[in-house]
Structures are given as C-alpha cells and as structure tokens.
Amino acid sequence: METKTIYIAGLGLIGGSLALGIKRDHPDYEVLGYNRSDKSRNIALERGLVDEATANFAEFAPRADVIILAVPIKQTIAFIRSLTDMPLKDNVIITDAGSTKAEIVAAAETYLDPSQVQFVGSHPMAGSHKSGAIAADVNLFENAYYIFTPTSLTRETTIPQMKEILTGLHARFVQIDAAEHDRVTGQVSHFPHILAASLMEQAGAYAKDHELTNRFAAGGFRDMTRIAESEPGMWTSILLSNKQA
Ligand code: NAD
C-alpha cells in the first residue's frame, strides 16, 4: 500500500481525533501537525497523535499529500488563501473540517488552482463541548456521518482517496451540496444552539430575582441546555458563516 504524508492544521478535538483515526488503519502514514499554542502541540506529540508538530503553518505544507484544515471557519478560509503562496506537491488534496461549508467551498474555488490542487469540503459530524488535543478520541467519529461537499476542484478520484485515508474513523460517508448542507445543519444543529444559549441567558437573568430558579431547574432544563456549554468562539464563527439559513 502506498504510504502518504497527512498534514493536519489544528490539533484540537477534531484535528486530534482525525489524526488518531487515520493512524488506526494506516500506521505507516506520516502524520504532521500544526498548532499555534504550545499546549495542544505538546499534548499531540506526547499522545502520539502526530509524528512531528510545528507552530508555523507554512513549514509542513510542501511535504503533504493531503492537508486537512481543522481550525475555526474564519481561519480555515485564511489558510486556504495562504496556501496559494506556498510550494505544494502537485495534486495535493486539501480539505477541511468546518461545521459550515458554503463560505469555505467558495474560498477554495476563488483562491485555489484546479490544475495544481484538489479540494473537497468536509464536515465530520461528531463532536462534543470539549476542545483541544487533550480531548482527541479515536472513537469520536464511530458511526457518525462524515460529509463531503464537492467543488469545482474535486476530481473523480478525490473523494474515493479521502474515504480510503479515513477508513479508520469508522464513519458513514455522505456526499451533499455545500448550500444544502448549510440549510439542513442550520435547522437541526445551529438553530438548537441558539435556542439553548438563549434559554440559559434568559434563565440566568431570571434567577437573579427568583432564587428558586436554580433549585427547580431539573431534567427538562438540563436536556434543553446541555449544548449551551459548547465553546462560544467556535459557535459564533459557525453562526456568522451561516447567517441566511
Ligand atoms: P478546538 O478548539 O478543539 O480546536 C481548534 C483548533 O484550532 C486548535 O488547535 C486551535 O489552536 C486552533 N485555532 C483556533 N483559532 C486559530 C487561529 N486563529 N489560528 C490558528 N489556529 C487556530 O475545536 P474543534 O472542535 O477541533 O473545531 C475545529 C473545526 O472543526 C472547526 O472548524 C469546527 O467548526 C469544526 N467542527 C467542530 C465540531 C465540534 O463539535 N467541536 C464538530 C464538527 C466540526
């Protein structure tokens, strides 16, 4: 089997879990990582998520057969743009992990050259309120949908190659148009986050004048607000990149 070099930018929950999942079925692959903070970079090296790690995104890009951008959406777009100035391998596959797809796909189609690189949007649909390399879990994507959103830079072989690289995730691969992805996830994922956060906010304000609120909040309230614990920065980025839906 042909060995590959996979470069994962962002060694957080998603990037770290992807690294573990890829290594599970492809221990011979070289997995390189970028992370801006020392903390997740060091944890990723200590836990063996990656073989080498850098704090300089440009450093490993030229070595990669596949580049996976697993950073917040705004930063994903910034990295797509910056890749145009880097000496990449011919036909490198670039993909991402962002929770919304239309803006990322549009950026790839605007900035990247289809004669030089391949790009397919990706959304591994599993996660948690935890973050960082410390939370990486090889089983995170078990039976989860792993969505591919094709672009004008996706060749016939791009998605089959990605599926082969990602077999160790044990995920269920699905292909869908980026705009449709954003509408559906807006309905069943993004809007529920707005509801949960709003309910927490309202109950928090109410509790200031009604001290029994906290004591009476029980199972129903907990079920409705569990996801309000999610990382607010990431969710701001998701909501702002899917305003219309
Ligand atoms: P995380 O907080 O665990 O990791 C984010 C990573 O991005 C970290 O390595 C952090 O250092 C890096 N990062 C953040 N801002 C950066 C910046 N400005 N420049 C460079 N690096 C930066 O978050 P995560 O859950 O792994 O999310 C990563 C991506 O995966 C996001 O695009 C998110 O939308 C997507 N996603 C998240 C979930 C989830 O439930 N957590 C599920 C599916 C997809």
Side-chain angles (χ1 to χ4, degrees):
M1 207 190 298
E2 193 197 347
T3 179
K4 290 188 192 300
T5 297
I6 314 292
Y7 182 26
I8 300 179
L11 299 171
L13 171 71
I14 299 297
S17 301
L18 287 173
L20 286 172
I22 291 169
K23 282 260 184 196
R24 171 151 67 183
D25 273 8
H26 300 290
D28 54 321
Y29 281 12
E30 179 181 49
V31 180
L32 309 175
Y34 154 87
N35 206 76
R36 66 175 178 172
S37 75
D38 294 351
K39 196 174 167 206
S40 277
R41 207 167 55 245
N42 291 336
I43 291 170
L45 285 169
E46 279 160 23
R47 291 189 60 194
L49 308 183
V50 293
D51 300 305
E52 293 175 52
T54 179
N56 171 12
F57 175 62
E59 187 183 346
F60 291 154
R63 285 169 58 185
D65 298 302
V66 176
I67 299 173
I68 302 177
L69 304 172
V71 289
I73 293 154
K74 236 174 122 180
Q75 193 56 36
T76 298
I77 291 169
F79 278 161
I80 287 171
R81 217 175 161 160
S82 72
L83 282 168
T84 56
D85 297 325
M86 295 179 200
L88 304 176
K89 278 191 186 172
D90 281 347
N91 304 317
V92 56
I93 297 179
I94 302 165
T95 188
D96 71 303
S99 303
T100 59
K101 299 270 50 93
E103 285 194 5
I104 289 173
V105 162
E109 290 181 334
T110 305
Y111 301 120
L112 300 176
D113 179 350
S115 69
Q116 312 257 314
V117 307
Q118 311 178 57
F119 183 91
V120 61
S122 301
H123 179 195
M125 286 197 69
S128 80
H129 56 276
K130 296 184 195 154
S131 62
I134 191 79
D137 176 0
V138 71
N139 295 315
L140 184 69
F141 306 113
E142 200 89 28
N143 290 320
Y145 285 115
Y146 193 106
I147 297 181
F148 290 111
T149 60
T151 70
S152 56
L153 295 94
T154 306
R155 302 179 196 165
E156 218 170 285
T157 50
T158 311
I159 293 174
Q161 281 187 78
M162 283 309 301
K163 286 183 181 171
E164 159 55 25
I165 291 162
L166 299 170
T167 51
L169 268 51
H170 304 165
R172 292 189 283 173
F173 297 113
V174 180
Q175 202 170 309
I176 174 179
D177 168 72
E180 178 65 358
H181 165 279
D182 287 0
R183 285 189 290 270
V184 175
T185 53
Q187 179 67 57
V188 297
S189 170
H190 309 166
F191 188 53
H193 272 84
I194 295 174
L195 293 177
S198 306
L199 184 54
M200 277 304 284
E201 192 73 16
Q202 190 196 44
Y206 190 75
K208 286 185 185 144
D209 298 327
H210 302 267
E211 60 176 42
L212 288 175
T213 310
N214 289 347
R215 276 203 266 162
F216 287 177
F221 188 81
R222 185 186 58 222
D223 290 348
M224 283 292 295
T225 54
R226 180 183 61 79
I227 55 175
E229 201 187 344
S230 305
E231 216 277 298
M234 187 181 86
W235 276 94
T236 305
S237 183
I238 291 171
L239 296 170
L240 288 177
S241 64
N242 199 17
K243 281 189 215 164
Q244 211 178 338

